Amino acid sequence: MKKLVSIVIPAFNEEENLITIIDRIEKVFECLGYNFEIIIVDDGSSDNTINNLKNEIANKHHLYFIEFSRNFGHQAALMAGLNNANGDCVISMDADLQHPPEMLTQMLQKWEEGYEVVYTRRLPDPSLPFKKRKFSELFYKLLNSLSDVEIESGTADFRLLDKIVVKNLNQFKEMDPFVRGLVKLVGFKQFAIDYIPAERFKGSSKYSLAKMRRLALHGVTSLSIKPLYTAVYLGFFFSFLSLLYIPYILFAFYEGTEVSGWASLIMTVVFFGGLQLIILGFLGIYLGKMFMQAKNRPNYIIRSTNIK
């Protein structure tokens, strides 16, 4: 009996790209001995993404859709696909064709060799804006320094997961999950494939620098409580520095050179005030996550689907 491969594609305003990526995936599987299904998760698109998709479904028995009631975000769309996939393995990829469908053959080959997670690492793309490339580098450095799992630079959500990995991921009941971190957290036998991203087929990127900053902060606070320990270490460090100021004060009194240091006092107050706000901010984020988790709200709401 042929194995079933599920392809999960989150889509937000991708009306110009969906038909093309579906056609290219179909061409790849024409040469492979697998059954396959394509699950498109429409993340509250405001264009004709869902209408184009429904028209395409009429002629394709292997094509499925999940329509959200509003925009819940890329990670929620990804989890919705994992929750509803039935394949012996699940491959997630973006709809903009920067994740080349032709790589599916290599990923499936590694899966057949026994790897339960086959993930991809994006090689540096010189065509990207300088700011975006640098922020991407800083994103992974910050994430790895402040979290309990290491995520390699260039790792995104283009990966293959065996059904046993998907089963374990579906048991996580986290509010607003960070999927690429959870995949590293669950472990299993993993293999990385390097690739050069293709040019976006049509449309514009949905990930602005602001969204990337939010994703970085979300990733750090979702995977670890290290930022809280970092805050404690900073407190000890600056307390120690303040002790070093005591000999200077005693020497100034001895020499009679003490001066009312208004400027230095204000700078000290402002600096430590900012540090306290940063620490309180971390505490607030963690408390906020606990508050939202306690509500036990769903990560997404499905308006319609053809998955039975």
Side-chain angles (χ1 to χ4, degrees):
M1 185 175 179
K2 290 183 179 181
K3 295 179 180 179
L4 175 64
V5 178
S6 298
I7 310 293
V8 172
I9 305 176
F12 177 64
N13 292 339
E14 297 287 359
E15 62 178 352
E16 298 176 301
N17 296 322
L18 273 185
I19 305 305
T20 303
I21 193 172
I22 291 170
D23 289 342
R24 285 178 59 177
I25 290 172
E26 290 173 342
K27 287 180 180 178
V28 169
F29 276 93
E30 286 176 0
C31 304
L32 299 174
Y34 298 97
N35 293 321
F36 71 100
E37 63 178 11
I38 302 174
I39 302 174
I40 310 291
V41 185
D42 179 55
D43 188 21
S45 298
S46 57
D47 62 1
N48 288 318
T49 295
I50 192 64
N51 294 330
N52 292 351
L53 187 56
K54 288 179 178 178
N55 291 335
E56 192 74 7
I57 282 172
N59 303 315
K60 299 180 185 295
H61 67 278
H62 54 261
L63 186 58
Y64 299 91
F65 76 91
I66 297 173
E67 181 189 10
F68 281 176
S69 61
R70 63 171 178 83
N71 179 255
F72 284 90
H74 182 271
Q75 298 297 289
L78 192 55
M79 285 305 301
L82 295 178
N83 295 158
N84 289 278
N86 296 308
D88 294 295
C89 70
V90 181
I91 300 175
S92 60
M93 57 194 306
D94 290 345
D96 56 13
L97 291 165
Q98 289 189 299
H99 296 162
E102 291 71 25
M103 285 186 62
L104 300 183
T105 302
Q106 188 179 358
M107 296 169 78
L108 287 166
Q109 180 182 350
K110 290 300 177 183
W111 175 56
E112 292 288 1
E113 291 176 9
Y115 292 98
E116 292 141 326
V117 177
V118 182
Y119 63 98
T120 59
R121 290 183 302 216
R122 185 181 63 251
L123 296 175
D125 184 1
S127 65
L128 283 176
F130 177 79
K131 282 186 178 180
K132 197 163 186 176
R133 280 188 282 122
K134 285 300 178 184
F135 189 85
S136 179
E137 293 176 11
L138 290 173
F139 167 79
Y140 288 105
K141 287 180 181 179
L142 176 66
L143 193 62
N144 291 327
S145 63
L146 293 177
S147 67
D148 294 324
V149 296
E150 183 176 353
I151 301 177
E152 296 152 81
S153 179
T155 305
D157 292 311
F158 184 24
R159 68 175 72 86
L160 179 151
L161 303 174
D162 186 85
K163 63 181 179 181
I164 190 174
V165 182
V166 175
K167 180 181 178 181
N168 281 275
L169 285 176
N170 287 339
Q171 292 176 354
F172 283 81
K173 302 301 179 184
E174 296 187 13
M175 184 70 187
D176 200 14
F178 183 60
V179 180
R180 72 186 70 170
L182 295 179
V183 170
K184 278 293 184 180
L185 188 66
V186 296
F188 292 99
K189 193 176 179 182
Q190 305 198 8
F191 185 87
I193 299 175
D194 293 323
Y195 77 105
I196 298 175
E199 291 289 333
R200 182 179 177 86
F201 186 64
K202 288 185 179 179
S204 58
S205 174
K206 309 303 185 298
Y207 261 104
S208 62
L209 286 176
K211 285 187 176 181
M212 290 178 69
R213 284 194 295 267
R214 286 197 296 270
L215 181 64
L217 186 58
H218 168 57
V220 168
T221 54
S222 291
L223 295 174
S224 172
I225 59 171
K226 274 189 177 180
L228 297 179
Y229 286 101
T230 303
V232 173
Y233 296 147
L234 281 173
F236 279 119
F237 176 71
F238 285 109
S239 295
F240 175 74
L241 285 184
S242 67
L243 293 177
L244 297 179
Y245 196 62
I246 293 176
Y248 168 76
I249 296 173
L250 295 176
F251 180 76
F253 272 105
Y254 176 77
E255 292 290 327
T257 58
E258 71 277 5
V259 179
S260 179
W262 180 85
S264 60
L265 178 63
I266 292 299
M267 288 296 295
T268 303
V269 170
V270 170
F271 176 77
F272 283 103
L275 182 63
Q276 288 173 342
L277 287 175
I278 292 172
I279 295 171
L280 288 174
F282 276 123
L283 291 172
I285 289 172
Y286 282 105
L287 287 173
K289 284 180 176 288
M290 292 173 61
F291 173 71
M292 296 304 296
Q293 188 72 37
K295 289 179 177 291
N296 200 28
R297 292 173 178 169
N299 285 323
Y300 56 86
I301 297 173
I302 296 176
R303 179 193 298 243
S304 63
T305 181
N306 66 336
I307 299 176
K308 298 179 181 179

